[in-house]
Amino acid sequence: MFSRKTGILFVISAPSGTGKTTLCRRLLKEVDGITFSISYTTRAPRKGESHGKDYFFVDRKTFEKMIKEDAFLEYACVYGNYYGTSKAFVEERLSKGEDLILDIDVQGAKQVFEKMKDAVGIFIFPPSIEELKKRLINRGTDPMEVIEKRLKEAKWEIEQAGMYHYWVLNDDLEKAYQALKSVIIAERLKSHRLKRTT
Ligand code: ADP
Ligand code: 5GP
């Protein structure tokens, strides 16, 4: 009776430590037909991260060459490092009808919303800045000076949440996950994204 036209581009942002990675990993495991765009970054890999799985880890020179070659759909300098989304990867996946998640910061999201009018923005809120600090400390992946830098950015990032289509509060993890999954499912059912086959 009907089928999908193209894949949907979901742009998910949150202040670092909110729980975006935790939520997205579960989504990718439990929901079919959705993949994660692997970004390029000049940040050093954290313990347990690998090249080609979490990020493509490149040096600054390589990243700047890619900027000149117009290889990025968007890119930004976040917490002192470059991060960018490959234009070719996004175009290929969407044209195959696969939904794609971009886990990117608010500067990158703004660029995507300007270029891709059909993209769906989801902003995930932490319950409070105090709770955010606790989560970053408990995660144990960043030194204290990096945590302080990220907390300072968090307030500004939350002020940008108005440009996103959906807001999800990550207080209770299960509730936040169900809310996020509901957005994905509802967006897939929008009639303008579908075409009649018979
Ligand atoms: P982000 O990707 O947004 O930086 P992570 O997914 O790495 O955040 O989560 C940061 C830390 O907070 C992790 O240790 C994670 O287990 C924890 N966390 C995530 N969601 C919750 C929640 N709802 N309640 C308590 N801790 C959480
Ligand atoms: P982390 O260093 O914790 O993995 O990520 C730091 C921040 O960079 C997060 O807010 C994350 O969403 C953002 N980020 C990751 N990849 C990209 C990207 O390709 N583009 C942009 N603009 N931000 C990204």
Side-chain angles (χ1 to χ4, degrees), residues 12 14 16 20 39-40 43 46 49 55 74-76 78-79 83-85 103-105 107-108 139 150 157:
I12 305 188
S16 180
K20 190 173 33 143
S39 297
Y40 286 77
R43 158 166 90 60
R46 290 190 190 121
E49 285 183 334
Y55 283 103
E74 63 71 37
Y75 71 91
V78 191
Y79 317 125
Y83 294 80
T85 303
D103 164 351
I104 61 176
D105 88 309
Q107 305 168 72
R139 187 169 70 182
R150 291 183 174 217
E157 288 166 333

Side-chain angles (χ1 to χ4, degrees), residues 44-151:
R46 290 190 190 121
K47 221 172 131 200
E49 285 183 334
S50 55
H51 183 79
K53 184 171 161 275
D54 302 281
Y55 283 103
F56 294 108
F57 296 99
V58 295
D59 58 22
R60 226 175 159 86
K61 206 171 146 210
T62 307
F63 198 100
E64 283 167 353
K65 187 166 170 271
M66 290 180 74
I67 296 174
K68 279 200 193 113
E69 290 167 353
D70 197 25
F72 294 118
L73 171 64
E74 63 71 37
Y75 71 91
C77 191
V78 191
Y79 317 125
N81 289 298
Y82 274 134
Y83 294 80
T85 303
S86 156
K87 201 190 268 183
F89 184 88
V90 170
E91 284 168 1
E92 189 215 314
R93 294 304 164 101
L94 293 181
S95 67
K96 280 188 183 157
E98 255 177 59
D99 294 341
L100 200 56
I101 295 180
L102 302 189
D103 164 351
I104 61 176
D105 88 309
V106 294
Q107 305 168 72
K110 190 162 182 275
Q111 297 168 44
V112 175
F113 297 147
E114 277 159 12
K115 290 183 188 162
M116 314 275 283
K117 296 293 174 205
D118 217 23
V120 179
I122 306 168
F123 192 89
I124 305 174
F125 284 77
S128 63
I129 298 291
E130 294 70 40
E131 174 62 21
L132 192 60
K133 186 171 183 178
K134 272 191 211 152
R135 287 183 191 176
L136 282 168
I137 292 170
N138 287 344
R139 187 169 70 182
T141 54
D142 298 292
M144 208 51 208
E145 76 252 28
V146 172
I147 291 180
E148 291 298 347
K149 204 159 140 189
R150 291 183 174 217
L151 286 171

Side-chain angles (χ1 to χ4, degrees), residues 3-12 27-28 31-38 89-102 118-120 122 180-190 193-194:
S3 66
R4 307 275 302 273
K5 284 181 185 160
T6 60
I8 307 169
L9 189 62
F10 292 99
V11 178
I12 305 188
L27 202 63
L28 295 181
V31 178
D32 285 338
I34 193 158
T35 49
F36 181 68
S37 162
I38 301 162
F89 184 88
V90 170
E91 284 168 1
E92 189 215 314
R93 294 304 164 101
L94 293 181
S95 67
K96 280 188 183 157
E98 255 177 59
D99 294 341
L100 200 56
I101 295 180
L102 302 189
D118 217 23
V120 179
I122 306 168
L180 186 61
K181 190 172 155 190
S182 304
V183 169
I184 309 290
I185 293 169
E187 283 293 330
R188 286 178 168 180
L189 301 178
K190 281 192 168 162
R193 299 190 188 282
L194 302 167

